[in-house]
Amino acid sequence: MSQTVDRALSILPLLAEGPANLEQVATRLGVHKSTALRLLRTLHEHGMVYRQQDQRYRLGARLFALAQEAVENLDVREIAHPHLLALNERCGHTVHLAVYEENEVLYIDKVESRYPVRMYSRIGKPVAITVAAVAKLLLADLPESERRTLAERLTYPAYTPRSTPNAAAFLKELATVREQGWATDFGGHEESINCVGAPIRGTDGRVVAACSVSAPNVVVSAEELLSLLPLVRRTADEISREYSGGAPVSAPVSHASRNLSQVTAETPEKKAEEPSS
């Protein structure tokens, strides 16, 4: 029985390459045509394969429906949580997980800092969408028309002097985040809080969530926090691979990472050192 199941399942990746006739299936499986036909008929009865008019077989609609249902039922928080704990254990700072739902970016998980200075963020609470690193990551992945429509609809509170001032600046920042594949918030929401984040992607390469590390500058400088970016990105990649069932995950477009030295020069500490013009 196990051999029969194994052979039947072996047909699916073959048909994923494109339609195949009975002889091609039998040859690939190394079985007689009658055996291959029996397996194909069983899969056809369950909607896993479909027989075309040219007598070739392709993957059936039921298989795609099951795959979509499985993806929709994936709990990214459950998958991500052990990785967030490990990230927190290594860096000691507050770790967040966020998703974009119904025009809001929401925290869905949080691991507290080991340091006495804590952040007031809460699970289920919307983030400051125009400045938060996780929000930039989630919104940067939207199609351009949606990004533009959203940016023009938002208001831009001046939380601090480093807050995003308007839609044009926001769209420019989202374009940068989309290109480089990571985001920062250096005092944009609270002057004393800095944050670095990375995207979590699904099987299609689209961003399904974002994780970040945040810390007050009394604990660690923005420059020191930025040095944790490779660790944050590795954590996001690990979550992406597990969420996607081990399949290789990559962005739908190539992201040219900016040199960290460029970004380091833009941190609040470095800005403060620049002479005013």
Side-chain angles (χ1 to χ4, degrees):
M1 178 63 72
S2 61
Q3 185 181 43
T4 301
V5 173
D6 182 69
R7 285 172 172 169
L9 293 176
S10 297
I11 293 174
L12 300 180
L14 166 62
L15 298 185
E17 299 172 6
N21 60 31
L22 178 60
E23 183 176 355
Q24 290 171 318
V25 173
T27 300
R28 176 69 71 88
L29 296 182
V31 298
H32 194 272
K33 285 185 181 180
S34 60
T35 301
L37 181 59
R38 185 170 65 252
L39 295 172
L40 286 165
R41 282 176 174 171
T42 300
L43 291 171
H44 183 272
E45 289 172 4
H46 289 274
M48 301 299 174
V49 304
Y50 176 78
R51 188 180 182 184
Q52 301 178 159
Q53 290 186 347
D54 62 3
Q55 308 307 309
R56 293 190 301 166
Y57 293 85
R58 62 169 171 80
L59 294 179
R62 177 60 178 159
L63 186 63
F64 294 106
L66 287 173
Q68 181 61 34
E69 186 176 350
V71 168
E72 291 174 354
N73 288 331
L74 279 176
D75 185 348
V76 68
R77 181 182 183 275
E78 181 179 353
I79 292 171
H81 190 69
H83 298 278
L84 303 182
L85 288 173
L87 177 58
N88 170 265
E89 181 67 24
R90 291 195 61 180
C91 71
H93 305 303
T94 302
V95 178
H96 287 113
L97 180 71
V99 296
Y100 179 57
E101 291 184 353
E102 299 181 357
N103 297 318
E104 288 187 323
V105 176
L106 305 170
Y107 289 127
I108 61 172
D109 203 359
K110 177 184 180 182
V111 184
E112 292 281 7
S113 167
R114 72 166 70 111
Y115 299 99
V117 182
R118 299 295 178 89
M119 295 183 61
Y120 293 107
S121 56
R122 297 193 307 273
I123 295 174
K125 181 180 178 180
V127 311
I129 197 168
T130 59
V131 292
V134 289
K136 295 172 189 176
L137 289 160
L138 291 159
L139 301 183
D141 195 63
L142 296 175
E144 183 178 0
S145 60
E146 290 185 38
R147 295 201 308 272
R148 187 167 297 279
T149 299
L150 177 63
E152 292 172 352
R153 188 174 67 242
L154 292 172
T155 57
Y156 294 85
Y159 301 109
T160 78
R162 298 181 66 83
S163 298
T164 308
N166 51 49
F170 191 48
L171 288 169
K172 183 178 179 181
E173 176 70 9
L174 294 185
T176 298
V177 169
R178 186 178 178 88
E179 179 184 1
Q180 69 190 12
W182 47 273
T184 62
D185 170 18
F186 291 139
H189 187 218
E190 298 178 60
E191 286 191 83
S192 62
I193 301 294
N194 299 308
C195 177
V196 295
I200 295 165
R201 301 181 184 276
T203 53
D204 58 357
R206 309 308 307 184
V207 176
V208 297
C211 66
S212 66
V213 169
S214 303
N217 53 29
V218 296
V219 173
V220 62
S221 70
E223 184 175 357
E224 291 169 326
L225 188 68
L226 189 62
S227 70
L228 296 175
L229 181 59
L231 177 61
V232 176
R233 298 186 76 181
R234 283 197 299 273
T235 299
D237 288 345
E238 290 167 2
I239 298 170
S240 298
R241 281 191 291 272
E242 187 170 340
Y243 183 80
S244 302
V249 177
S250 59
V253 294
S254 60
H255 292 305
S257 297
R258 295 167 73 195
N259 189 311
L260 288 186
S261 62
Q262 287 182 272
V263 185
T264 300
E266 300 168 6
T267 61
E269 289 83 355
K270 295 294 183 181
K271 286 282 187 180
E273 295 170 5
E274 296 175 0
S276 57
S277 55

